[in-house]
Amino acid sequence: DVVKLMEVAVANNIVLIPFGGGTNVTGCIEASLLETRRTIVSVDMRRMGRMLSIDKNSRVAVFETGVLGPDLDEAIGRHGFKFGHDPDSYIFSTLGGWIASRSSGALSNKYGDIENMVLSLKVVTPNGVIETPLVSRPCGPDLNGIFIGSEGHFGIITEACVKIEPIPAVALYEGWMFPNFESGYSAFYECTKLGVHPTVMRLYDEDDTQMSMALKSEEPGVNKIISKGVKQYLKNVKKWELEKTCLVILGHEGTAEQV
């Protein structure tokens, strides 16, 4: 269908803009304001969301690129695997969108960014279909690199072969508070210098921390009292300025020994 659509677009000088989950905030799905002569068509990819194959021994899977993040993980989760990509838009964004925008995510510290997870691509271009070779390390130019981050300029990415990871035996996530952004950054620097690389290392600035606290769910009675007591301790004993505190999320995944 995408090939036929591309043929019609080329024959009639039509601009095609692929559309995934619609979560992009940088305007990459918007046409140029200078584009005033050609017809512009938005191509909704979300019906192309199937897992086409999985190789549990090689730990790879092939997906159509309209698949949403949760649906992708559900499909491979039935086989004991996870993808390991978790951008903020995870629930509503698509694999194709991640690839086209060179996505990064909260778990990239362990599993890599999207360019480290894609092995091969099928792309429908105005000059035909391109399938990049499925090799661990290409000889010569990396064709995947041409399309990853291209934001649809060279064609519509329809399929992707990606790495998948075994679901870890243990996943431990913790929240820590620091008196200010600088002290949190210093802690991250020391961890990195010592070779300590958790699955997730996320430092929120003051504004994001305040927003996170304001939007959290209502706590049960006992927890609410404990939370209030902690705030009073930080303010009156530790002498922290609560409006400057910063939240850190640390996550560890792996075997019990690793975690």
Side-chain angles (χ1 to χ4, degrees), residues 42-225:
S42 179
V43 183
D44 192 335
M45 302 295 293
R46 286 173 293 182
R47 287 188 178 181
M48 296 184 65
R50 297 176 299 167
M51 181 173 72
L52 302 178
S53 65
I54 183 171
D55 185 335
K56 292 187 282 187
N57 291 325
S58 298
R59 297 182 181 179
V60 300
V62 178
F63 279 92
E64 294 176 329
T65 54
V67 63
L68 293 169
D71 295 334
L72 187 156
D73 271 316
E74 181 183 0
I76 60 177
R78 293 194 290 265
H79 300 275
F81 292 91
K82 64 179 292 183
F83 189 40
H85 194 63
D86 188 25
D88 287 341
S89 60
Y90 169 78
I91 296 177
F92 303 107
S93 54
T94 63
L95 174 61
W98 300 342
I99 296 169
S101 62
R102 195 180 293 273
S103 174
S104 185
L107 304 178
S108 294
N109 209 40
K110 179 179 177 67
Y111 300 110
D113 297 311
I114 196 66
E115 62 265 28
N116 307 120
M117 310 169 86
V118 172
L119 296 174
S120 69
L121 297 170
K122 179 181 286 188
V123 187
V124 179
T125 78
N127 294 315
V129 178
I130 295 177
E131 295 188 49
T132 63
L134 178 56
V135 293
S136 60
R137 186 171 183 270
C139 294
D142 179 11
L143 296 182
N144 287 334
I146 295 176
F147 298 106
I148 297 174
S150 65
E151 297 186 348
H153 288 324
F154 303 130
I156 298 178
I157 304 168
T158 58
E159 293 180 18
C161 179
V162 297
K163 300 177 183 177
I164 56 177
E165 305 288 343
I167 295 175
V170 180
L172 174 65
Y173 285 82
E174 301 174 319
W176 295 81
M177 297 298 294
F178 284 81
N180 49 55
F181 187 85
E182 291 75 14
S183 60
Y185 175 84
S186 296
F188 274 34
Y189 178 82
E190 290 299 319
C191 285
T192 302
K193 188 169 68 173
L194 295 172
V196 178
H197 302 293
T199 303
V200 174
M201 291 178 69
R202 186 159 190 170
L203 171 62
Y204 294 83
D205 64 16
E206 298 92 335
D207 292 338
D208 281 340
T209 298
Q210 294 299 318
M211 181 178 292
S212 178
M213 295 301 176
L215 295 177
K216 69 178 182 179
S217 303
E218 185 68 24
E219 296 178 303
V222 175
N223 289 346
K224 190 173 184 178
I225 294 173

